[in-house]
Amino acid sequence: MAPFPILYINLDKDVERRQRMQAQFNHLQLAAQRLPAVWWPDLAREEQNQYYSETLNQTQYFKALANGEKGCYCSHIKAWQALLDSAAPAMAIFEDDVKLLPDIIPALEALAQRTTGWDMIKLYSRDQEKICNKFPLFTTHSLITYQRIPSFAAGYVITRAGAQKLLASRLPFGRPVDVDFRFWFENDLRVAGVYPSVMALDDTSEVSSIWEQRDRLTLSQRRRKLLMKLRLTLGNALHR
């Protein structure tokens, strides 16, 4: 039984991914609920405008978001709202292209004992993470802070405080959801991670069901990308 609610985001059409995720949760004896992912074209124009801002996108990111990126962000927003609509202190949120490792159970149990002092804990980590500090989490794993928050929104635990911060500051949005996490200093989002990783990316993560083919960047987009990276570097340096 999970120490707090677990949601996994899954499009209605992705039946095979849904079955694979549910099989993993059943094997680990974790109760998880499917959150139907948002398919962006299904939203009315008025609702799309409430979520996504082309103006913000021009200033925050280096290219317009694809429909899949917009729908993905909306799906995470739905998950944060589901947490606030519940009485739970925190929630684990997964995308549907991940592999859950056995150590995820003690990790979730340990995090359930400390749901204050942080907003988000990333459950996916890599050996090349730029770690700032390590703190014991359980026997074989640590809670880490980062020199630079990594990308990926594939799996994380978020507290009520974290969900409130994100919903208050990221509606509308102009960047992909995982990139917005990296700009933690804009809304004082306290992000940490579990190390070593307690989950992995599934093979299907290489073949996204929501991302459109990405074109080569124009000269203007490359300049905007460079400016975004400079803002990220400066923000980390000033606020870390």
Side-chain angles (χ1 to χ4, degrees), residues 128-134 144-150 182 184-185 191-193 232-240:
Q128 67 265 36
E129 301 297 3
K130 296 181 178 180
I131 297 173
C132 186
N133 293 297
K134 283 186 179 183
I144 61 172
T145 58
Y146 304 97
Q147 295 181 33
R148 290 171 68 93
I149 306 297
R182 303 193 72 190
W184 61 273
F185 44 84
V191 182
L232 182 60
T233 299
L234 182 61
N236 272 301
L238 292 176
H239 298 92
R240 188 171 61 226

Side-chain angles (χ1 to χ4, degrees), residues 137-151:
L137 181 62
F138 63 97
T139 311
T140 56
H141 286 63
S142 300
L143 200 62
I144 61 172
T145 58
Y146 304 97
Q147 295 181 33
R148 290 171 68 93
I149 306 297
S151 295

Side-chain angles (χ1 to χ4, degrees), residues 5-19:
I6 296 176
L7 290 184
Y8 69 96
I9 298 167
N10 170 256
L11 283 168
D12 289 341
K13 70 183 183 71
D14 287 336
V15 178
E16 184 177 342
R17 291 187 179 205
R18 178 158 65 250
Q19 293 172 339

Side-chain angles (χ1 to χ4, degrees), residues 1-6 25-26 28-32 104-106 108-109 112:
M1 187 68 180
F4 36 66
I6 296 176
F25 289 120
N26 292 343
L28 294 170
Q29 297 184 325
L30 290 173
I104 198 164
I105 296 176
L108 293 178
E109 291 173 344

Side-chain angles (χ1 to χ4, degrees), residues 32 37 42 50 58 62 72 78-79 86 101 130 132-133 155 187 206 211:
D42 287 345
Q50 291 175 354
Q58 287 289 323
F62 57 92
C72 178
K78 286 177 62 178
S86 74
L101 305 179
K130 296 181 178 180
C132 186
N133 293 297
N187 55 0
E206 298 297 324
W211 261 238

